[in-house]
Amino acid sequence: MTMKQPLKIDFVQDGGKISQEIVTKYNLSGKDFKYSYSDNEETNVYYSNFVGLVRSGKDDSLLFSAPKHYMNKEKFDNLEITEKYKIIKTVTASINKDIDDTQFTRYNHSKDVVGNFAFEAYRRICDYYLTYGLYRDQENYYKKGYGSHISWKKTISRSSKYVFDGKLMMIPLVIKKKRQLTNLITECMIFTLNYTQTMYGNFIDVYRADELRDHGINQRILDNTDGIVNQLFQIKTTIFKDRENQLIDNLIIFLKRVNSKNKKIKQSIKDYNYEHVWESAVEKYLNTNFDDINKNGKLTFKSNIKRHKFKKISAHYDNQHKKRHLDPDHYHFEESTRALYLFDSKYYVKVDELNHKQLVYHFLFGNRAGTKKIYDALIVPTEGETDTEVHVEINNKFLEENNSITIYLCYLNAQKTIELYSSRNKEKYF
């Protein structure tokens, strides 16, 4: 028996056509799409310009814009709802992972991701919870009894004094104890974990806070996010530990993104520059699975072989202009064979023209002393099987004697590549 589908999922792909109906239904605007006039259709044709999801403010529908060449629409539409959720989770996890991986690099990918869910803040709140538990304020109190942490000051002022064998005795002793108090920070942590699991659990990789389920979603926080944020700012001035200050900062960031008053405001997660995710995913796939280029000019892969170590490098080539540099996406020099691999990720719908930048990489990086062979390839996503073809083969009359340049075009299965990149510790996250 097929599981009843709780909502309708409209599927499009980044760079693919979208209908005017979809644009209107999900209130798409600005960078959400590109358009051009079609002579054949005598109207503007719209193309999706993001990867992510948008909940409709009009009904219980979801728009999922998948990466370029991720999957055929008909195949997606025929999947069971649980499989659709799994795919959406994988894609949103790749966006989140790339933000985490690049936050300390010169490229700040988080600036390209918009929406009303704060990925980084949520992850850091989860990390605090998994490390320290719920935040608890501590209060000292005193009680009569016996044990460690005797408060001699309170004992002297509160206890009866007796003299035995010439010695002063105070009975009973007063001991100092601590009790954990719940405060607004604790409530906001519980709200963040429960709200995220309830609202986004089907669509993003979230921590399963089952132990907090009985607390539910605090309606007081949901209905007054602005006031709660102001209170957190005030509390922050009284707290001096860095980790608690960072926790409050992330709670503030998270709550500012929560839609609390207008239910017609759509929930969304949109990545307008998914090409950076593709580059990161390709690098992990190469370092995990790339074997070699065989005699037929095919890039070959073996699962989890981990034979090569590709990395992005940056090299200055102009002594007069230090800002001019070359940045091959995936660079590897094999010492044993003296082979140089120069691969570049291309997040394209279609590759037609010669990529002249790849030729520049070949000539300048190929001058490395002792290089015997240079392999050049562009790596693009495909919904089909991984395959390689010759993209460019330079005419010998343009080259020195006995030299040749072949630039390969490798079609890498997008779904497998992004699944590998998005994999994470399943003990912590659902």
Side-chain angles (χ1 to χ4, degrees):
M1 182 176 179
T2 303
M3 183 182 295
K4 184 178 179 180
Q5 184 168 327
L7 53 78
K8 174 179 171 54
I9 300 177
D10 290 307
F11 178 87
V12 298
Q13 293 197 77
D14 187 13
K17 284 185 179 181
I18 53 175
S19 66
Q20 178 63 58
E21 178 186 1
I22 292 292
V23 172
T24 303
K25 180 178 181 179
Y26 293 97
N27 195 27
L28 302 182
S29 61
K31 294 195 299 181
D32 295 343
F33 59 83
K34 295 180 179 179
Y35 66 90
S36 60
Y37 184 80
S38 170
D39 290 329
N40 292 334
E41 301 181 37
E42 296 184 343
T43 187
N44 286 328
V45 176
Y46 295 86
Y47 301 89
S48 175
N49 191 45
F50 71 94
V51 172
L53 55 92
V54 182
R55 288 290 294 270
S56 171
K58 299 181 179 180
D59 57 27
D60 197 18
S61 299
L62 175 82
L63 174 65
F64 172 48
S65 185
K68 294 174 182 177
H69 293 294
Y70 189 82
M71 179 177 286
N72 178 276
K73 173 176 168 54
E74 183 178 356
K75 180 179 179 180
F76 181 88
D77 289 342
N78 289 328
L79 293 174
E80 296 288 340
I81 188 64
T82 53
E83 287 301 308
K84 291 179 179 179
Y85 287 160
K86 182 179 177 181
I87 286 170
I88 294 172
K89 273 189 178 183
T90 297
V91 172
T92 54
S94 71
I95 297 171
N96 175 45
K97 180 173 173 56
D98 202 66
I99 292 172
D100 290 341
D101 289 350
T102 60
Q103 61 182 315
F104 299 113
T105 67
R106 68 181 179 86
Y107 184 89
N108 188 355
H109 184 222
S110 61
K111 292 181 179 179
D112 298 305
V113 180
V114 302
N116 48 25
F117 183 78
F119 271 124
E120 287 183 88
Y122 171 72
R123 289 297 178 203
R124 293 183 181 187
I125 293 166
C126 281
D127 288 341
Y128 182 99
Y129 177 70
L130 292 167
T131 305
Y132 306 106
L134 290 172
Y135 175 83
R136 302 285 188 182
D137 202 1
Q138 289 189 336
E139 178 183 69
N140 294 329
Y141 71 98
Y142 301 88
K143 62 179 293 186
K144 293 181 179 181
Y146 300 93
S148 56
H149 305 293
I150 298 170
S151 172
W152 291 110
K153 183 177 180 180
K154 297 291 184 183
T155 298
I156 291 171
S157 64
R158 295 183 182 181
S159 300
S160 300
K161 284 78 174 175
Y162 301 93
V163 177
F164 293 100
D165 296 330
K167 295 180 180 178
L168 178 64
M169 303 289 291
M170 289 174 282
I171 302 175
L173 299 175
V174 178
I175 57 176
K176 179 181 178 181
K177 306 201 77 169
K178 294 180 182 288
R179 60 175 155 228
Q180 304 290 327
L181 299 177
T182 298
N183 67 4
L184 185 62
I185 300 174
T186 318
E187 293 176 5
C188 288
M189 286 185 70
I190 295 171
F191 172 85
T192 297
L193 297 172
N194 283 345
Y195 177 86
T196 302
Q197 185 173 349
T198 300
M199 299 300 294
Y200 292 96
N202 286 328
F203 313 118
I204 65 174
D205 227 5
V206 302
Y207 174 73
R208 291 192 59 176
D210 293 339
E211 67 275 19
L212 303 176
R213 183 181 296 173
D214 290 344
H215 292 272
I217 296 176
N218 190 321
Q219 198 65 36
R220 179 176 68 91
I221 295 176
L222 185 62
D223 292 340
N224 186 31
T225 52
D226 290 342
I228 298 298
V229 164
N230 287 333
Q231 290 181 55
L232 288 174
F233 272 120
Q234 294 175 26
I235 292 173
K236 191 172 184 293
T237 63
T238 67
I239 292 179
F240 304 101
K241 287 185 178 180
D242 287 343
R243 72 184 184 212
E244 272 72 37
N245 265 306
Q246 291 169 4
L247 171 63
I248 295 174
D249 285 340
N250 287 307
L251 289 170
I252 289 170
I253 291 169
F254 183 88
L255 291 173
K256 281 184 174 180
R257 295 280 188 93
V258 172
N259 287 325
S260 58
K261 297 178 181 178
N262 187 354
K263 292 185 178 179
K264 291 188 176 181
I265 295 177
K266 57 187 180 300
Q267 299 168 349
S268 64
I269 301 167
K270 303 174 189 173
D271 186 344
Y272 293 113
N273 196 1
Y274 196 80
E275 65 182 30
H276 193 70
V277 181
W278 177 246
E279 179 186 317
S280 299
V282 167
E283 181 172 292
K284 182 173 181 179
Y285 198 87
L286 289 173
N287 287 334
T288 305
N289 296 332
F290 177 66
D291 184 20
D292 211 340
I293 298 180
N294 65 23
K295 62 181 180 180
N296 297 319
K298 302 284 188 181
L299 274 71
T300 60
F301 299 89
K302 294 180 181 178
S303 180
N304 208 34
I305 190 173
K306 296 183 180 178
R307 178 179 171 185
H308 304 285
K309 184 63 178 176
F310 286 87
K311 63 181 179 180
K312 188 179 184 72
I313 67 169
S314 182
H316 298 285
Y317 63 90
D318 188 337
N319 290 331
Q320 299 301 316
H321 301 88
K322 296 297 184 184
K323 290 185 178 181
R324 293 178 181 173
H325 49 81
L326 299 172
D327 305 286
D329 293 335
H330 314 291
Y331 176 101
H332 173 67
F333 184 74
E334 187 71 30
E335 293 286 350
S336 60
T337 61
R338 312 304 292 175
L340 177 62
Y341 297 85
L342 293 170
F343 296 167
D344 232 35
S345 300
K346 298 299 175 190
Y347 181 64
Y348 291 164
V349 172
K350 191 175 182 181
V351 180
D352 292 323
E353 301 296 325
L354 166 64
N355 188 276
H356 292 89
K357 186 171 67 172
Q358 193 68 28
L359 283 176
V360 176
Y361 291 163
H362 180 99
F363 286 120
L364 295 187
F365 285 99
N367 288 324
R368 175 174 179 154
T371 299
K372 292 183 178 180
K373 180 67 176 176
I374 305 173
Y375 295 103
D376 301 281
L378 306 178
I379 302 179
V380 299
T382 181
E383 56 267 73
E385 293 299 316
T386 294
D387 199 6
T388 309
E389 65 182 39
V390 174
H391 178 52
V392 174
E393 196 165 24
I394 303 298
N395 192 316
N396 284 343
K397 70 180 182 180
F398 291 97
L399 303 170
E400 295 179 7
E401 188 177 356
N402 297 323
N403 281 346
S404 64
I405 298 178
T406 301
I407 299 176
Y408 297 101
L409 189 59
C410 176
Y411 296 95
L412 200 59
N413 182 268
Q415 191 172 355
K416 292 179 181 178
T417 304
I418 293 169
E419 281 178 356
L420 176 64
Y421 179 64
S422 301
S423 58
R424 62 163 62 246
N425 184 351
K426 295 300 180 183
E427 294 178 0
K428 290 172 58 175
Y429 297 97
F430 173 69

